Amino acid sequence: MSEPVEQINADVPPSGPGCQECEQSGGWWVHLRRCAACGHVGCCDTSPSQHATAHAEGTGHQIVQSFEPGEDWFYDYGSGDFARGPALVPPTEHPADQTVPGPRDRVPANWDQLIHR
């Protein structure tokens, strides 16, 4: 497990309960990742749009934390490895009643055929 190479701002809240770009475009996601630098919540690489990775590539913010209930791991896009980080300001996960994939009303019936594996 590597040490983060980028500053983590533990005091910045998440951008919202779902992927910021998917919410704006009416898209959907499988799992969520929270940028440890700015709080941006984006969808994971299994999701159709892979917004968390696009955010990391576009901003240079390399460290994300899982935004899934019960998960507190960090990932470093720079090293391609899991990382250590401090406790981030809550909320640290999406709402428990939010479906995975989600949000429920936008997930197509054939979602499992549309994801990246």
Side-chain angles (χ1 to χ4, degrees), residues 8-25:
I8 293 175
N9 185 346
D11 297 324
V12 66
S15 60
C19 174
Q20 190 171 339
E21 290 83 3
C22 286
E23 291 288 15
Q24 292 170 353
S25 69

Side-chain angles (χ1 to χ4, degrees), residues 41-96:
V41 175
C43 54
C44 71
D45 285 350
T46 303
S47 301
S49 297
Q50 304 174 329
H51 288 123
T53 296
H55 175 78
E57 291 171 350
T59 63
H61 297 169
Q62 298 179 21
I63 309 296
V64 294
Q65 185 178 41
S66 175
F67 201 57
E68 294 298 316
E71 298 181 357
D72 62 359
W73 51 263
F74 286 81
Y75 181 77
D76 181 339
Y77 282 103
S79 70
D81 200 2
F82 290 95
R84 292 185 178 93
L88 302 181
V89 67
T92 57
E93 58 192 38
H94 65 75

